[in-house]
Amino acid sequence: MILFPAIDLKDGQCVRLKLGDMEQATVYNPDPAAQARDFETQGFEWLHVVDLNGAFAGESVNGAAVDAILKTTKNPVQLGGGIRTLEHIESWLSRGLSRVILGTIAVRDPALVIEACKRFPGKVAVGIDAKGGKVAVEGWAEASELGVIELAKRFEGAGVAAIIYTDIDRDGILTGINWASTLELAEAVAIPVIASGGLASIDDVHRMLQPDATKLEGAISGRALYDGRINPAEALALIKAARG
């Protein structure tokens, strides 16, 4: 079980959004690389990074900030936002990313995701962001008619390393992860699922360590870490103890 600290990038800065709204961004650190170093020092083992501008633009926008993060931290980094082609994927992996996250393209061109999994085994994750139970794309700006589980099942057996499932209706507002729909997804597919969106307190960390959540790879935390609602040492100690 892994707790992934999140760095969301907007205009080169580390921010958090509320409900995926780019106009509701709080800047937490103008130096994302320094934030990555802080997370590593605190004992986190992975880093979750999103290029928010890239998600809307359909191409990487905050590349310089991501490169600085990769140079600064020894932790493996997964990146999503604006990665839409095999060339994008290959370029990022060659620059030191451990995993790319494909979101919009997983809806628009699932065959590309499957091909990417063949070319880059273990390096491709799928981001499924849902609003009202339906998958959203283009930086959450557009809704599709696809259901979450329907989309996830398209990638069974393809070699997807993980599914990052975000409930947009809870993202950035600290109301707690939507455990019901997250665990329903984890039960429906063999692909490991990472919970995202709304992780609010140490109670959510306790919840992800319960027996019915063992199929999860972990959860992502953003605002709760930045606001001090979760003590990193306490959360990581709980996870370490659960691992035995």
Side-chain angles (χ1 to χ4, degrees):
M1 194 66 70
I2 301 166
L3 186 60
F4 296 78
I7 293 181
D8 287 358
L9 298 169
K10 179 177 184 281
D11 305 332
Q13 298 180 309
C14 175
V15 307
R16 294 302 293 168
L17 303 185
K18 184 178 286 187
L19 301 172
D21 183 353
M22 288 285 271
E23 299 304 314
Q24 297 191 68
T26 303
V27 177
Y28 280 101
N29 196 328
D31 186 345
Q35 187 63 58
R37 187 166 51 247
D38 286 349
F39 282 140
E40 183 179 329
T41 302
Q42 289 165 4
F44 291 99
E45 299 172 341
W46 264 85
L47 186 61
H48 174 80
V49 180
V50 178
D51 181 346
L52 294 171
N53 301 102
F56 285 93
E59 59 184 10
S60 297
V61 174
N62 287 287
V66 178
D67 284 333
I69 288 169
L70 291 171
K71 288 187 178 80
T72 300
T73 183
K74 296 182 180 67
N75 281 345
V77 177
Q78 61 183 23
L79 172 71
I83 303 173
R84 307 277 171 89
T85 68
L86 290 169
E87 289 73 24
H88 281 164
I89 296 166
E90 185 169 21
S91 172
W92 273 120
L93 293 175
S94 70
R95 286 151 78 173
L97 271 187
S98 294
R99 196 148 70 184
V100 296
I101 304 164
L102 306 180
T104 295
I105 201 67
V107 176
R108 304 271 197 246
D109 190 358
L112 185 146
V113 178
I114 293 166
E115 176 62 25
C117 289
K118 289 178 186 172
R119 288 199 200 183
F120 313 106
K123 302 285 188 179
V124 177
V126 168
I128 299 182
D129 307 321
K131 192 171 183 62
K134 297 295 184 181
V135 177
V137 294
E138 304 293 346
W140 300 355
E142 293 181 24
S144 74
E145 291 303 311
L146 268 179
V148 172
I149 291 174
E150 180 187 358
L151 177 61
K153 283 184 175 293
R154 291 182 178 180
F155 302 108
E156 281 279 55
V160 171
I163 289 173
I164 293 141
Y165 172 63
T166 304
D167 183 341
I168 300 169
D169 295 319
R170 295 186 183 226
D171 189 70
I173 58 171
L174 300 166
T175 55
I177 281 173
N178 185 338
W179 290 108
S181 60
T182 301
L183 296 177
E184 181 185 13
L185 173 61
E187 287 298 323
V189 294
I191 305 164
V193 172
I194 299 170
S196 174
L199 194 142
S201 69
I202 201 70
D203 290 341
D204 277 319
V205 179
H206 280 287
R207 181 66 188 87
M208 79 176 191
L209 297 173
Q210 296 306 302
D212 65 344
T214 53
K215 288 188 72 174
L216 297 180
E217 181 174 298
I220 293 165
S221 180
R223 191 178 289 269
L225 284 174
Y226 292 106
D227 285 350
R229 294 167 189 263
I230 291 180
N231 179 293
E234 181 185 2
L236 294 171
L238 277 174
I239 293 167
K240 186 177 180 180
R243 289 175 181 168

